[in-house]
Amino acid sequence: MERTGTILRGREFDPVEGRVVIDDDGRIEAIEETPVESDDIVLPAFVNAHTHIGDSIAKEAGGGLSLEELVAPPDGLKHRLLRAASRDDLVSAMERSLGYMQRAGTAACLDFREGGVEGVRMLEAAAGGREIDALSFARGSVDAMRAGDGFGASGANDASFEAERTATREAGKPFGIHAGEVDESDINPALDLEPDFLVHMVHPKPVHLDRVADSEIPIVVCPRSNLVTDVGLSPYEDLNERTTLALGTDNVMLNSPSMFREMEFLAKLSELPAAEILRMATINGAEIADLEYGLLEPGREARLLVLDGDSDNLAGARDPVRAVVRRAGVDDVREVVYGSDADDESASQLS
């Protein structure tokens, strides 16, 4: 099986005209450069590196509240609404957000999971039957981490998390933690835990930037969320000079889980090159979670996003990478290909 068009190949997203050949095991067998009769743009499907999709029951709730009033555990508005909702309502709302993400080209999300073991089970139920990989970075207990895919700590000012960090390392799973979202006070304690990745880093000081450079800990940035909560914006260029950045959409309560919107927003408020932002939305998030996709090269699992390059929005684009990052949207998505289902129209076509 194959997909044809302008293929954004490898880590640099070199645009080549040709075809992606997918073997029966759902892996990329070859990328062949050859003339084809297709205007499609073929790129890696997105990896949303930070979400809270439990908030899907409360979209646009809490207008005008501070970040602490909105999401601080245990009694921020979000947590009160989560406690008040039924399991069925929570699962149904998450199902709809996952469906939207899948239609919008996302192959995986790294979800910081509230609710302990039961929260992990609810995300599993919501993702059941879908192709998108919904990974639980559980919080609340070591047992929740063991039931899920890793640990997602709220922040070093909330607790020490030393026992959870040790247990997560022993389990061979990734440990992530929020840091520097409101101010710099929790950055050094977070770095002391030697996490596998940090989230936000809006307020690093020079000493923190030096520590990040020395440790090479990846950072997930969430620009739209940070703007909505009025905490500021991360120093994207400074961080990018020092470590690997990935991109996340954060709370569904505050933003749609659209990587298209997140990329466009970041592209238009920063000096980061379009190719770097596309790496943040694909390769870099995949590597944080040790996923086998995120880029197009032989041997990788085939998780592909196919855009209609002849849509009214994309027709005439001179630079396909800039067009994907700065202007493409869900209406331009022709297909999302999930590995061995690439020959199954019912699985790969958007519905």
Side-chain angles (χ1 to χ4, degrees):
M1 63 203 79
E2 62 185 41
R3 295 297 183 270
T4 61
T6 297
I7 300 161
L8 303 186
R9 180 177 61 186
R11 291 183 176 271
E12 300 304 316
F13 305 110
D14 298 318
V16 298
E17 182 182 6
R19 60 173 61 93
V20 179
V21 181
I22 303 168
D23 66 22
D24 291 341
D25 294 324
R27 294 189 174 277
I28 298 174
E29 181 177 312
I31 297 174
E32 300 174 351
E33 190 168 353
T34 186
V36 295
E37 295 183 2
S38 173
D39 295 310
D40 288 347
I41 301 171
V42 184
L43 63 144
F46 302 128
V47 175
N48 190 335
H50 186 63
T51 62
H52 292 269
I53 68 166
D55 301 10
S56 300
I57 59 162
K59 296 167 187 169
E60 304 308 321
L65 297 182
S66 69
L67 178 64
E68 183 174 0
E69 292 169 325
L70 281 168
V71 301
D75 292 319
L77 175 63
K78 153 184 163 164
H79 297 281
R80 300 199 306 272
L81 293 173
L82 289 175
R83 286 196 295 270
S86 71
R87 185 185 193 278
D88 286 347
D89 286 346
L90 289 168
V91 170
S92 176
M94 289 192 288
E95 283 178 344
R96 300 194 74 164
S97 288
L98 289 169
Y100 174 82
M101 282 194 276
Q102 184 169 313
R103 290 191 300 276
T106 296
C109 65
L110 282 56
D111 195 65
F112 273 37
R113 268 292 62 225
E114 293 87 3
V117 173
E118 177 58 17
V120 173
R121 299 300 178 224
M122 285 192 286
L123 184 60
E124 290 173 349
R130 296 195 178 277
E131 298 290 347
I132 186 172
D133 290 329
L135 306 180
S136 288
F137 283 75
R139 60 173 62 176
S141 70
V142 169
D143 285 343
M145 174 275 294
R146 289 175 178 146
D149 301 286
F151 194 90
S154 56
N157 287 342
D158 296 331
S160 71
F161 295 109
E162 291 179 1
E164 292 86 349
R165 179 65 185 107
T166 298
T168 306
R169 184 182 288 111
E170 289 173 350
K173 296 180 178 182
F175 179 96
I177 185 168
H178 295 84
E181 186 174 8
V182 176
D183 58 39
E184 73 276 9
S185 63
D186 61 355
I187 297 177
N188 276 329
L191 287 167
D192 290 344
L193 291 167
E194 298 182 350
D196 294 292
F197 64 100
L198 300 171
V199 181
H200 293 305
M201 287 292 278
V202 177
H203 299 285
K205 302 297 184 184
V207 63
H208 305 129
L209 294 173
D210 289 343
R211 288 194 68 182
V212 165
D214 290 341
S215 62
E216 299 182 338
I217 295 173
I219 296 169
V220 181
V221 296
C222 308
R224 286 186 301 152
S225 173
N226 297 153
L227 183 69
V228 169
T229 57
D230 198 29
V231 297
L233 296 171
S234 303
Y236 306 109
E237 294 83 3
D238 289 341
L239 293 173
N240 188 59
E241 288 177 1
R242 291 165 171 83
T243 191
T244 299
L245 298 186
L247 197 61
T249 60
D250 206 8
N251 298 72
V252 177
M253 184 181 193
L254 307 175
N255 297 294
S256 67
S258 168
M259 294 299 279
F260 287 116
R261 288 190 177 187
E262 207 71 39
M263 289 192 301
E264 180 184 8
F265 189 79
L266 181 57
K268 293 180 179 178
L269 63 80
S270 77
E271 298 298 323
L272 295 176
E276 188 61 45
I277 293 172
L278 189 52
R279 272 189 290 275
M280 292 168 64
T282 55
I283 300 168
N284 296 351
E287 291 182 343
I288 285 175
D290 197 26
L291 301 172
E292 291 189 271
Y293 42 89
L295 74 162
L296 305 187
E297 63 180 20
R300 294 276 182 160
E301 185 177 343
R303 297 286 184 107
L304 315 180
L305 174 55
V306 182
L307 302 180
D308 179 3
D310 194 38
S311 69
D312 291 342
N313 183 41
L314 296 179
R318 302 299 181 89
D319 184 327
V321 175
R322 281 177 58 88
V324 168
V325 169
R326 299 175 70 92
R327 71 169 48 241
V330 65
D331 289 343
D332 302 307
V333 176
R334 185 187 296 282
E335 180 185 18
V336 186
V337 176
Y338 291 90
S340 58
D341 291 322
D343 60 347
D344 183 348
E345 291 297 315
S346 64
S348 61
Q349 294 291 334
L350 300 178
S351 59

